Amino acid sequence: MAELAGTTPPITNPTAAQEERVISPWRDAWRSFRKNKLAMAGMFLVAFFILIAIIAPLIAPYSYDVQKMADKHLAPSAAHWFGTDEFGRDILTRIIYGARISIWVGCISVAGSVIVGSTLGVIAGYYGRFIDMIISRVFDIILAFPSILLAIAVVSVLGPSLRNALIAIALINVPIFGRLVRSKVLSVKQEEYISAAKAIGMKDSRILFQHVLPNSMAPIIVQGTLAIATAIIEAAALGFLGLGAQPPTPEWGKMLADSKDFILDAPWTVIFPGLAIMLTVLGFNLMGDGLRDALDPKMKN
Amino acid sequence: MLSYTIRRVGQLIPVLLGMVFIVFMMIRAIPGNPAQLILGQQASKQAIEELTKQLGLTEPWYTQFVEYMKGLFQGDLGMSLKTRNPISDELWPHLAATIELAFVAMIIAVIIGVNAGIISAWLQNSWFDYGVMLIALIGISMPIFWFGLMEQYFVSIQLDLLPTTGREDVRAPIEAITNLYLLDTLIQGNFSQFIEVVKHLILPGIALGTIPMAIIARMTRSSMLEVMKSDYIRTARAKGLKMPLVVYKHSLKNAMIPVVTVIGLQAGLLLGGAILTETIFGWPGIGTYIYDAISSRDYPVIQSGILVIATLFVFINLIVDLLYAAIDPRIKY
Amino acid sequence: MKKSLFALVAFILILSLGLAGCNSSKTSSDGNGKKGGDGGGVMIYGKGGDAVGLDPAHETDGESFIVTEQIFEPLLSYKKENTDVQPGLAKSWEISKDNLKYTLKLEEGIKFHDGTDFNAEAVVKNFERWMNGDAAKFPYYASMFGGYKKDKAHVIKEVKAVDKNTVQFTLKRPQAPFLKNLAMSPFAISSPAAIEKYGDKIGQNPVGTGPFKFKEWKRDATITVVKNDSYWKKGLPKLDGVTFKVIKDNSARMNALTKGEVDLIDNVNPSELDKIKSNNKLQVFERPSMNVAYLGFNTEKAPFNKKEVRQAINYLVNKDELIKNFYNGTAEAAATPLPSAIAGQNKDVKDYGYNETKAKELLKKAGLEKGFKMDLWAMPVSRPYMPDGKKIAEAIQANLKKVNIDANIVTFDWGVYLEKIRKGESPAFLIGWTGDNGDADNFLYSLLDKDTINSNNYSRYNSPAVHKLLIEAQSTADEAKREVLYKKAEKIIHEDAPWVPLVHAKPILGGTSKIKDFYPHPKGSQSFVEVSMTK
């Protein structure tokens, strides 16, 4: 699905990048990022959703789980900006709380994939032959599954819950980071300064932490931002199929699934959660794109 | 070239074997007994135990695995636990439905995506360009199941333009020959049925095609930009060739190389992404087939279904790789 | 090579442009109105799931039976609106004094769809096939007739053809609902010749005596049956055929009905009821209730081993609100496990009713006035008795919270769910039951007798008093006496409160106003033999 947005990893030319970024690569990147209007818009969207996620209890006009059957399916109005759902709960409130869940799932699952993926990638790239072959084949196998299918199977094994959905999403993204870091490691390994470092007896761990990982940071950040976007959609898809969050959790995908039967009578119950997903994901995608342009010198005009 | 092909196919075998193995292990780790699901709520305990034994589920997993692999090598995909039919009989109609849908989605994606990308590149930094790129990003950001619902709501229900679900007008049923209904209706020369089939394909096709469309548009645009900056295009323009000619004749050809790769990648993934689209549009495809099988613990169906999808995916990528190698003389093997 | 690639892309472009052209032209022609009257007599039935197979004796699910009902007929049938037995393939019957011998006279001159004769021999062959089978092949047979030939508990001693058109059943012991069982969907008679011919594939090639003949099955899409021109009841069926179309999603099925893509749909969301009623092109059909939805407690697990706690929760469930919100007013609140369609329902048993104060008192008595934490299991699937288990659980969850009971909603896949509650792993769970043959025994004994713990007595309710009453009722032939026994049992059950009986739902079907003479049967599926459609 949407992780395809990220399946064209930046083809960086490390030497050129190095020279250009020697002075202050991060500040340079920020300068170019700031000039990119779409990227800034994305960053504001992301910041906005993160903010409402954090201050949800302060701004939410109602409680997200107290039911008031008399207020079932009220159309959007001054009292309920986005209307109410089947249980008479305020949809705006549920969307605000839902931001917590979606952003949490997106970030944590990607953090998990980055950690596991990078570790495996480093091991594969650095230590070599046999281990490399095994790890790479496992990545190939995981990537050969349609990701949502694999996620469904994993959740079926573990049982449907938000936590298990998060694990499933983290798992299917592991190879993306694994491959990325592995290729970085392989290319860095060729560099003369690494050979030099080895020659003077520098420890493996030091080489890893001082040279290999910093070199992988930029692509990981870009890929990670885009992966959060995908993870949010996937979490919503699992919720939609009934395999993610359980009631009364106001997860956006679940809200959609619960209300899709009422699309005729109460379209607001379907439209708003979908818009919320779309805008959040759009934010991360715009930001990821901007980061790629800023951090990847090849795309720089 | 030949040796590369052989080597590349050789690499596939462990991947496919690994996939079957993983699926096999994983599915058996899922709690739940197919016998219970087959017999339903009214079933007695003894009946469930008896059926479990009959289905061979009391055997240790490795025995089951060996049996399954043996069958696979004889071209036998096993038997559905639920319907007791050979899976090979049930699989094709479902697969055909998905292939047809994915094909249409791909066509929509390629036509719109490539053209939008080209024009965007040509009018770089214009409002059109920004608009297309923003729409493309929105396309990527949209949950496919929500988009499908919205399509149904606005196009099918509010405007009453297109049918909501299914593959055909059941009042004028199609006689299946290949199960690819576009083809079947053409073979039978039944044009009104053909139109009916196309009508049923549009909404799910758009829903499924949106993401690849967006990705193709972005990819086309960026590779076009790169090509258009190259010397020979500049020369062509300097010679006074008209812009559309330059764009469509000279640049596109070269820009297509990375685009083809993306198209290949997408085509494979469409097969899997179809699950959500099929759920929304009641499409009797392989996604529906596998999803149902997961919820009824129909192990052989899940295994074979995933195996078939993944094999297709892997082979499409293989073909793309080979094509790529053939087109681009810079790549050596 | 580059050229050919370009050509390929160009080709795809052109092809797709061509297609796009078709689309637009066709879209516009659609506005001109519906296709002409071709196949006006074919009814399209939208259903929520595909049939599993079409050998009725082998199947257990309603999605299969709704199709087999059209192709096959059992020896006896039910009346239109209840489960009283009336003639079917057998035109009359006699029962011996000791209730052990049933002699059935068959209709003459009936032929199966494959042209072979229906006669006593065919009936015997069908029964022998079933009784020599096993749970994997004919699961329902054992549930209704006590087992298979090899089992001790098997009720039927012998089935024999007395003459060409007379069949005699000899039982080992009296079975009160025997005739009702014979009329059930799974015990419809198949052509013995076809069984021999198709072997394992009979489930895809059904041959019966029914009003419609099987034509085609596109899996997960459609099943087509066409009129049986030589049907034995003169002038029937009225329809030229029925096409079953699978539309899994409830709202999508409703949309298809509104748009006229289908003529009749089942499992209508109660929330759509008003929409059908307000549309003069549509009509509502209510299926009389033969089910019960309930919240069961595991009576062996704390705190639900205390009667007071169970009763307290009975006071905390607001059934009227549930009915109003999730059944759109189409269900009746349940006070006892038996729906009113079933003889034996005790009308004197009064529902607990919603009462927070009484609930608090009872909880205090049980020493739980501070509340407690519990898991509340919710069904993952939509069933006729409960369209959406998770939402009902969510509503109950909110009510329990008022007395500090923290309910955590848990769910599993359907198969796992059933297995786990059967094994008693759940403390409290939503579930329900649809009657098989319309007999009280099929509810009370199956669901609440101590014999059926580990089977369908998910509450693991063990009451010797109830057991005694139920066993007595099983071996009594006099219907009036049986009713008295069942009513006594219901009273005890009400007091012990192993469940919160929630509702008796009336499944709703929606159809176009063209449909005439359709009567949904309480058992959940019915033949369309008399249905017609006006043009």
Side-chain angles (χ1 to χ4, degrees):
Chain A
M1 298 191 38
E3 82 269 17
L4 294 173
T7 43
T8 45
I11 314 146
T12 44
N13 179 343
T15 32
Q18 229 71 54
E19 280 158 29
E20 222 181 281
R21 285 203 223 131
V22 163
I23 317 159
S24 171
W26 297 106
R27 189 181 299 168
D28 186 33
W30 168 240
R31 204 177 301 144
S32 99
F33 184 86
R34 215 172 37 184
K35 268 190 278 177
N36 185 339
K37 282 184 207 129
L38 283 178
M40 287 304 282
M43 201 184 73
F44 280 118
L45 265 178
V46 170
F48 172 74
F49 278 102
I50 291 179
L51 183 73
I52 66 165
I54 292 171
I55 60 168
L58 302 178
I59 54 170
Y62 298 88
S63 152
Y64 71 86
D65 64 346
V66 170
Q67 304 172 3
K68 208 170 158 198
M69 296 293 185
D71 288 353
K72 179 179 175 176
H73 285 162
L74 294 181
S77 66
H80 299 279
W81 290 4
F82 291 178
T84 61
D85 71 1
E86 200 189 356
F87 296 93
R89 297 174 300 205
D90 182 52
I91 289 178
L92 175 63
T93 307
R94 288 178 66 76
I95 285 179
I96 291 173
Y97 277 95
R100 289 189 150 185
I101 292 157
S102 286
I103 290 176
W104 165 259
V105 170
C107 295
I108 298 296
S109 66
V110 169
S113 336
V114 168
I115 293 169
V116 177
S118 316
T119 314
L120 290 176
V122 165
I123 293 173
Y126 207 82
Y127 295 104
R129 314 221 134 227
F130 184 65
I131 301 176
D132 183 17
M133 199 196 77
I134 300 232
I135 293 179
S136 297
R137 283 295 89 75
V138 171
F139 286 171
D140 285 351
I141 290 171
I142 296 180
L143 285 176
F145 286 106
S147 59
I148 190 75
L149 206 58
L150 191 61
I152 291 173
V154 172
V155 175
S156 304
V157 174
L158 300 174
S161 77
L162 191 62
R163 195 198 58 196
N164 294 341
L166 194 152
I167 293 173
I169 293 165
L171 179 81
I172 57 180
N173 283 328
V174 162
I176 297 177
F177 296 98
R179 279 190 168 180
L180 196 150
V181 171
R182 175 179 168 271
S183 70
K184 267 283 162 197
V185 172
L186 287 180
S187 71
V188 171
K189 234 163 86 175
Q190 309 288 317
E191 302 287 334
E192 278 162 20
Y193 67 92
I194 297 290
S195 316
K198 268 196 172 160
I200 59 169
M202 204 189 240
K203 272 195 203 139
D204 281 358
S205 60
R206 203 156 151 222
I207 296 178
L208 271 179
F209 283 104
Q210 294 206 335
H211 297 288
V212 176
L213 285 181
N215 259 299
S216 318
M217 273 325 273
I220 286 181
I221 289 174
V222 171
Q223 204 63 51
T225 315
L226 295 170
I228 291 176
T230 315
I232 291 175
I233 288 198
E234 270 157 359
L238 288 176
F240 185 76
L241 293 172
L243 299 170
Q246 298 301 320
T249 322
E251 199 272 328
W252 291 338
K254 172 131 198 359
M255 287 168 73
L256 273 179
D258 285 349
S259 49
K260 73 178 186 330
D261 281 349
F262 312 115
I263 190 162
L264 285 177
D265 308 312
W268 55 88
T269 57
V270 183
I271 291 174
F272 291 113
L275 277 178
I277 300 175
M278 199 190 80
L279 287 175
T280 317
V281 174
L282 181 65
F284 280 103
N285 273 332
L286 284 170
M287 204 169 111
D289 266 12
L291 285 171
R292 166 154 51 209
D293 291 349
L295 293 171
D296 184 344
K298 205 191 166 207
M299 300 286 287
K300 244 184 233 173
N301 294 324
Chain B
M1 191 64 209
L2 184 69
S3 72
Y4 171 70
T5 312
I6 292 171
R7 209 170 63 221
R8 192 70 180 62
V9 173
Q11 278 174 4
L12 281 183
I13 293 169
V15 171
L16 288 177
L17 279 178
M19 289 180 67
V20 178
F21 185 70
I22 287 184
V23 169
F24 201 89
M25 296 296 291
M26 193 156 64
I27 297 305
R28 271 165 186 71
I30 300 180
N33 182 350
Q36 168 84 63
L37 282 151
I38 293 165
L39 296 178
Q41 202 184 334
Q42 331 286 89
S44 70
K45 201 180 148 206
Q46 297 92 300
I48 291 168
E49 277 163 10
E50 218 166 298
L51 182 60
T52 313
K53 210 167 144 200
Q54 257 202 21
L55 295 175
L57 298 168
T58 44
E59 303 284 317
W61 66 266
Y62 44 86
T63 317
Q64 294 182 37
F65 185 68
V66 169
E67 285 300 308
Y68 182 69
M69 289 309 290
K70 258 195 222 156
L72 269 189
F73 281 110
Q74 292 159 3
D76 176 10
L77 291 172
M79 195 178 265
S80 158
L81 298 183
K82 189 168 124 190
T83 64
R84 296 298 190 89
N85 286 335
I87 293 169
S88 41
D89 288 2
E90 292 182 358
L91 194 69
W92 174 246
H94 289 98
L95 190 60
T98 301
I99 288 177
E100 191 166 78
L101 176 60
F103 175 73
V104 168
M106 206 58 217
I107 283 184
I108 294 174
V110 169
I111 295 175
I112 303 182
V114 167
N115 285 299
I118 292 170
I119 301 175
S120 267
W122 176 14
L123 305 173
Q124 198 195 355
N125 295 333
S126 68
W127 282 111
F128 181 87
D129 182 24
Y130 287 141
V132 166
M133 285 305 105
L134 188 66
I135 291 172
L137 263 168
I138 290 176
I140 294 173
S141 309
M142 211 146 39
I144 202 171
F145 45 93
W146 181 68
F147 184 50
L149 284 172
M150 291 292 117
E151 276 186 334
Q152 273 187 345
Y153 178 63
F154 289 108
V155 182
S156 190
I157 299 168
Q158 297 292 8
L159 301 175
D160 198 14
L161 289 178
L162 293 168
T164 45
T165 57
R167 290 181 76 189
E168 59 177 336
D169 179 0
V170 284
R171 291 186 203 278
I174 290 165
E175 210 175 304
I177 303 171
T178 62
N179 279 299
L180 296 163
Y181 286 176
L182 287 175
L183 209 60
D184 287 354
T185 49
L186 284 181
I187 292 172
Q188 289 160 6
N190 193 332
F191 200 68
S192 68
Q193 281 189 342
F194 178 79
I195 296 289
E196 218 24 77
V197 173
V198 173
K199 249 163 117 177
H200 280 85
L201 276 162
I202 295 174
L203 290 185
I206 291 177
L208 188 57
T210 307
I211 291 173
M213 185 197 300
I215 293 171
I216 290 171
R218 284 154 54 100
M219 196 67 204
T220 311
R221 176 180 177 271
S222 67
S223 62
M224 278 297 283
L225 282 178
E226 218 162 292
V227 173
M228 279 163 72
K229 265 183 263 154
S230 63
D231 292 341
Y232 70 96
I233 296 292
R234 260 185 254 163
T235 319
R237 285 170 77 176
K239 278 198 304 191
L241 286 180
K242 286 253 159 51
M243 198 55 186
L245 188 70
V246 174
V247 167
Y248 275 93
K249 187 149 176 234
H250 296 271
S251 319
L252 180 62
K253 217 157 81 177
N254 291 296
M256 267 344 272
I257 293 171
V259 174
V260 167
T261 319
V262 176
I263 293 176
L265 205 57
Q266 297 296 318
L269 278 170
L270 279 183
L271 293 172
I275 286 195
L276 291 163
T277 319
E278 287 177 4
T279 316
I280 301 283
F281 289 97
W283 199 261
I286 192 95
T288 310
Y289 190 49
I290 297 176
Y291 184 68
D292 283 357
I294 290 180
S295 43
S296 57
R297 301 288 179 272
D298 198 340
Y299 304 144
V301 171
I302 309 174
Q303 278 152 215
S304 305
I306 291 186
L307 184 67
V308 166
I309 282 201
T311 313
L312 256 176
F313 176 51
V314 168
F315 273 97
I316 288 174
N317 276 310
L318 173 71
I319 292 167
V320 168
D321 273 7
L322 296 180
L323 248 182
Y324 198 86
I327 311 165
D328 193 339
R330 284 170 300 185
I331 297 175
K332 286 208 192 77
Y333 295 94
Chain C
M1 201 63 193
K2 275 190 202 170
K3 272 219 176 96
S4 58
L5 172 73
F6 189 57
L8 179 78
V9 173
F11 171 72
I12 293 175
L13 283 176
I14 290 162
L15 188 73
S16 39
L17 281 175
L19 268 176
C22 292
N23 302 354
S24 56
S25 67
K26 157 233 95 245
T27 310
S28 57
S29 73
D30 185 50
N32 300 342
K34 305 271 173 272
K35 233 173 266 122
D38 55 11
V42 175
M43 182 174 81
I44 314 290
Y45 183 93
K47 66 213 279 281
D50 202 5
V52 174
L54 296 179
D55 175 6
H58 180 71
E59 307 311 331
T60 56
D61 66 304
E63 299 295 4
S64 299
F65 289 142
I66 185 69
V67 182
T68 63
E69 279 281 326
Q70 317 309 324
I71 305 170
F72 298 95
E73 292 163 305
L75 290 175
L76 303 172
S77 64
Y78 295 120
K79 289 206 171 124
K80 255 180 214 150
E81 63 285 349
N82 59 30
T83 52
D84 290 351
V85 173
Q86 64 177 19
L89 287 175
K91 58 186 174 188
S92 64
W93 59 87
E94 266 169 43
I95 308 171
S96 67
K97 280 252 168 64
D98 56 3
N99 290 316
L100 288 176
K101 271 202 165 63
Y102 288 73
T103 311
L104 280 70
K105 276 264 174 251
L106 307 180
E107 288 280 351
E108 286 157 44
I110 299 177
K111 283 195 189 307
F112 288 108
H113 299 156
D114 60 0
T116 56
D117 287 330
F118 164 79
N119 52 33
E121 206 51 51
V123 175
V124 173
K125 276 190 183 149
N126 270 277
F127 271 87
E128 290 200 326
R129 173 173 176 242
W130 300 332
M131 66 175 70
N132 287 312
D134 53 42
K137 281 196 185 126
F138 309 116
Y140 244 126
Y141 185 83
S143 332
M144 305 323 293
F145 296 111
Y148 302 93
K149 208 172 192 175
K150 59 183 175 359
D151 299 321
K152 236 166 111 191
H154 188 215
V155 166
I156 301 177
K157 192 166 158 200
E158 191 193 15
V159 187
K160 72 173 184 219
V162 178
D163 60 43
K164 197 161 164 278
N165 294 303
T166 313
V167 186
Q168 191 177 63
F169 292 86
T170 313
L171 307 189
K172 291 183 191 161
R173 54 190 158 83
Q175 189 189 33
F178 182 73
L179 287 175
K180 277 184 179 167
N181 290 347
L182 286 186
M184 285 173 59
S185 312
F187 309 123
I189 306 298
S190 296
S191 154
I195 292 171
E196 207 153 290
K197 183 172 160 199
Y198 293 113
D200 283 349
K201 306 237 181 242
I202 188 74
Q204 291 135 270
N205 301 282
V207 180
T209 57
F212 297 95
K213 292 192 281 193
F214 172 73
K215 185 173 166 224
E216 192 191 20
W217 185 355
K218 293 178 182 165
R219 283 218 174 251
D220 284 331
T222 54
I223 298 179
T224 313
V225 296
V226 294
K227 182 176 185 169
N228 173 9
D229 287 320
S230 43
Y231 186 55
W232 58 279
K233 285 185 192 161
K234 290 286 158 271
L236 294 174
K238 291 177 185 159
L239 293 170
D240 291 332
V242 182
T243 299
F244 297 89
K245 182 180 183 188
V246 180
I247 309 176
K248 293 200 170 118
D249 192 70
N250 280 353
S251 47
R253 204 159 54 245
M254 180 64 205
N255 294 338
L257 177 69
T258 319
K259 294 187 64 176
E261 289 169 15
V262 298
D263 302 308
L264 185 63
I265 60 170
D266 56 17
N267 284 321
V268 173
N269 258 331
S271 62
E272 314 267 15
L273 193 64
D274 296 334
K275 216 179 304 160
I276 302 182
K277 281 185 176 156
S278 63
N279 185 336
N280 60 8
K281 286 193 190 129
L282 302 180
Q283 55 179 328
V284 173
F285 299 99
E286 274 186 11
R287 196 186 283 290
S289 176
M290 201 163 90
N291 60 39
V292 60
Y294 62 93
L295 162 62
F297 303 110
N298 185 339
T299 53
E300 290 173 358
K301 275 197 173 167
F304 304 110
N305 51 359
K306 288 190 184 131
K307 190 159 91 180
E308 291 79 18
V309 179
R310 302 196 299 258
Q311 286 173 338
I313 293 179
N314 260 290
Y315 281 119
L316 285 169
V317 175
N318 191 337
K319 292 175 196 171
D320 295 336
E321 205 174 79
L322 293 181
I323 291 169
K324 197 168 139 240
N325 278 286
F326 305 106
Y327 296 87
N328 212 22
T330 60
E332 63 188 281
T336 121
L338 292 183
S340 54
I342 288 181
Q345 191 200 38
N346 190 340
K347 300 237 163 34
D348 297 333
V349 171
K350 284 274 168 298
D351 191 16
Y352 282 86
Y354 183 75
N355 192 328
E356 231 177 284
T357 343
K358 279 198 180 149
K360 278 184 186 152
E361 277 168 24
L362 283 163
L363 284 175
K364 200 167 177 191
K365 225 171 163 187
L368 287 165
E369 66 272 27
K370 284 192 192 130
F372 56 91
K373 274 192 191 294
M374 64 178 273
D375 280 345
L376 172 58
W377 290 30
M379 298 161 29
V381 291
S382 170
R383 306 300 293 173
Y385 45 78
M386 203 183 285
D388 196 330
K390 286 189 194 175
K391 285 180 179 166
I392 293 195
E394 216 172 331
I396 294 175
Q397 180 187 45
N399 270 348
L400 294 179
K401 212 165 177 195
K402 291 179 185 161
V403 294
N404 283 321
I405 300 177
D406 237 334
N408 175 30
I409 296 178
V410 178
T411 190
F412 297 90
D413 265 349
W414 184 225
V416 188
Y417 190 85
L418 288 176
E419 207 172 314
K420 283 182 184 276
I421 58 176
R422 179 196 302 286
K423 288 183 182 155
E425 289 176 28
S426 160
F429 47 88
L430 291 175
I431 192 75
W433 182 260
T434 301
D436 293 313
N437 57 4
D439 198 87
D441 182 67
N442 182 252
F443 277 77
L444 296 177
Y445 180 78
S446 299
L447 303 177
L448 288 160
D449 190 85
K450 75 182 171 90
D451 291 351
T452 50
I453 292 175
N454 283 325
S455 181
N456 288 314
N457 181 354
Y458 304 135
S459 285
R460 311 179 90 74
Y461 173 62
N462 185 347
S463 158
V466 170
H467 176 69
K468 207 174 144 238
L469 291 166
L470 293 180
I471 292 296
E472 201 183 331
Q474 272 185 347
S475 42
T476 310
D478 183 347
E479 286 298 329
K481 260 192 206 150
R482 292 180 72 212
E483 273 184 37
V484 173
L485 294 168
Y486 286 128
K487 283 181 177 168
K488 276 187 193 160
E490 283 166 74
K491 207 151 171 46
I492 305 173
I493 292 166
H494 177 75
E495 175 63 24
D496 283 345
W499 300 356
V500 181
L502 297 173
V503 301
H504 304 296
K506 289 184 195 148
I508 305 163
L509 296 96
T512 56
S513 46
K514 290 190 289 185
I515 291 180
K516 295 273 169 317
D517 296 320
F518 170 60
Y519 301 99
H521 194 269
K523 77 180 163 173
S525 58
Q526 65 288 308
S527 161
F528 296 128
V529 60
E530 288 177 355
V531 176
S532 63
M533 296 204 312
T534 51
K535 285 274 160 67

